[in-house]
Structures are given as structure tokens and as C-alpha cells.
Amino acid sequence: ALAHELAHALADQKNNLKKFIARGNPGDDESTARQAVMEGQATWLSLAYLSRRFGGPPEVPPQMLAQFNDLTGASGGDYPVYTMAPLYVRESLTFPYNEGLRFADESYRKLGKNSFSEVFARPPQGTQHVLHPASYFEGRTIAPIAPPQPPSGAKWKLLADGDIGEQDTALILGTHIGEDTGKQFAIHWKGGQYRLMESPSKKPLLMHAIEWDSQESARGYAEAYLKVMRGKWKSLAISERGDAHYAGTGDSGKFEIAVTGKRVEIREGL
């Protein structure tokens, strides 16, 4: 624990961790990726310290890497609060350490000691870079997409907005269609934005848009999100269902799902 915190202290002297985290919007995908850089690197160094103390090399052996991931994801009767928490909460708590550790290890294997400064000088743009380090090393950019727009004819008040990253997408789907299925589906994610609006009558409107790598993935997400709504609501009635447009009603009022090429837009609470 001391090695972990001293690693933070050393990193802070060079990079000002508070400013480093603040450059990503709070709660957004980029901020989560930056937190994974910070926690992953400190975790990697603390495990490398343990390896050296026990006569091994000053790096993280593969078996130690696997063991750490098993421990931080521990569940069952010994961890009742963690086990009973929603998937999104559990994964949000462990992501910076588990996936951050893997990212730090991949960076070290690729760049050596230069990785400790490189990831701060050129941080990952989102959780996709952390989950798939090859995309980070290749310099693949995560381009912002246009946010969804509310229907015209009313003065909507913006309550919250931001990014939906690959990790967010995996967890949204994983909560209702299975964790592994959600992760495999989210690999095809290319960008996402959400907006939470409020009507003059104080009714909420939740909207999000996600870009996918193919029309097939986009249509698949539209179908999968129907299962999400069915899982989170007590009632769901579908009035229209086609290749490019879905509509109906649920606990939050009317909803619609529109597929345009590789883009899916969803509005709940119309």
C-alpha cells in the first residue's frame, strides 16, 4: 500500500495528478481512462516492488497479474456488499485498478521505462484505449460524435450530458443481457453521447446516440436495447418494430429508437 501511494506521489511531482484528471470531463469516458492510467501505473509499480522483494524481477509476473485481478473482483459470501451491488457500481470501482493494471503492463512491455512518462504525456482518449491497448499504440483516435437533439416545440432544460464510452456501453448491456455478451458487443463501439433533459412540466427525457463500426452492429444494438428497457421497466409495449425504427411505451412514457446507417439514437420519456 505504501509503495502504491508513493508511486502516486512521484507521479504527482512530475504531472500534477489533480490537473491530469481534471482535463477529462468529470464522470466522462476520458476521465475514467485517465484514472485508469493513474491507478494502473501505481498498482503496477507496487506489484513490481513486491516481485523484487521476493527475489523476482522488478516487474509484474503474469501469474501475479492474474492473481491481482481475481482478488479485486472477489465476490461471494465474504464480500456481501460488493457482491450485491449493481454491475455498474462494481465495475466502476475496479476498472481503474484491474484494466488500468493491464494497460500499464502492456505499456511497459511495449515502451519499457518510457511508458511511465508517455502515458501522462499522451493519455488514452477513452476506455476503449485502456481495454484495447493496441488501439492506443496505433494512435487510433476516438472522434467525438454529434449529441442527440430533443424534439422541437418545447423549451427543454439540460440537466446532464456527456460521453458514453465502450466500458459504459458494455455495462449498460451487461446488466440486462449478460456481462460477457455486453463486453463482446461493445467491442464494435465507435463513439457515444447522452443528454438528460427536462420538459417545462418537469418530466425527464433521456437520450443517447452511439456510433458503431457497421450497420449490422447498429441494428443489433437497437434490438439489444429493447431487452435493456424490458429489464429495467415493469412494462414495455412495442407499437412499431422494423429494421430502422422502433417505438412504443414503457415506465418512462413513450420511447423511440432510430437507426441511421451506423448510428443509433434512442429517446426515452417522449
Side-chain angles (χ1 to χ4, degrees):
L2 182 58
H4 181 107
E5 299 307 330
L6 286 173
H8 282 320
L10 288 168
D12 186 56
Q13 288 180 9
K14 289 275 289 183
N15 302 288
N16 192 324
L17 297 183
K18 185 177 181 179
K19 290 183 178 179
F20 177 74
I21 290 294
R23 291 190 189 105
N25 293 326
D28 278 2
D29 195 51
E30 183 182 0
S31 181
T32 302
R34 286 170 178 257
Q35 189 178 8
V37 165
M38 187 176 73
E39 296 296 352
Q41 190 174 98
T43 302
W44 191 96
L45 286 164
S46 65
L47 295 181
Y49 169 76
L50 283 176
S51 174
R52 182 63 178 268
R53 280 290 299 270
F54 286 103
E59 57 186 49
V60 183
Q63 65 271 23
M64 186 180 283
L65 192 71
Q67 185 182 33
F68 178 85
N69 289 332
D70 290 341
L71 288 172
T72 52
S75 60
D78 292 336
Y79 306 91
V81 175
Y82 180 83
T83 301
M84 295 178 66
L87 175 66
Y88 203 104
V89 173
R90 286 186 275 120
E91 288 296 316
S92 296
L93 288 170
T94 59
F95 181 89
Y97 300 90
N98 279 357
E99 299 302 335
L101 172 61
R102 292 193 188 100
F103 180 76
D105 191 66
E106 290 276 356
S107 299
Y108 179 77
R109 304 297 172 191
K110 181 81 173 179
L111 305 172
K113 291 182 179 181
N114 289 336
S115 67
F116 298 116
S117 58
E118 177 68 13
V119 292
F120 283 104
R122 188 175 67 89
Q125 296 177 342
T127 54
Q128 186 176 73
H129 282 169
V130 177
L131 290 164
H132 312 288
S135 66
Y136 168 79
F137 298 129
E138 292 166 3
R140 196 182 308 166
T141 59
I142 299 177
I145 71 167
Q149 299 297 322
S152 58
K155 292 185 177 180
W156 298 92
K157 176 183 178 182
L158 179 65
L159 299 180
D161 64 351
D163 299 333
I164 298 177
E166 180 176 331
Q167 176 70 352
D168 295 322
T169 305
L171 295 177
I172 290 169
L173 293 172
T175 298
H176 297 286
I177 67 173
E179 190 173 349
D180 290 339
T181 304
K183 288 179 179 179
Q184 290 301 313
F185 207 105
I187 290 173
H188 302 283
W189 171 97
K190 286 297 182 182
Q193 289 278 335
Y194 81 92
R195 279 183 169 180
L196 179 62
M197 314 288 287
E198 185 179 71
S199 71
S201 59
K202 303 296 182 182
K203 291 183 178 180
L205 172 65
L206 175 63
M207 306 180 295
H208 74 268
I210 295 183
E211 299 273 1
W212 296 90
D213 61 4
S214 68
Q215 290 185 0
E216 181 182 5
S217 295
R219 290 176 178 174
Y221 179 70
E223 287 283 347
Y225 199 78
L226 287 173
K227 296 179 181 179
V228 172
M229 291 190 294
R230 193 179 299 278
K232 70 177 181 175
W233 289 341
K234 294 180 180 178
S235 63
L236 175 71
I238 301 173
S239 60
E240 183 180 341
R241 188 170 191 164
D243 289 339
H245 192 265
Y246 305 75
T249 57
D251 294 6
S252 299
K254 294 181 180 179
F255 73 84
E256 65 177 18
I257 302 174
V259 182
T260 306
K262 300 177 183 180
R263 179 183 172 97
V264 180
E265 286 200 10
I266 298 173
R267 295 175 175 85
E268 305 169 41
L270 293 169

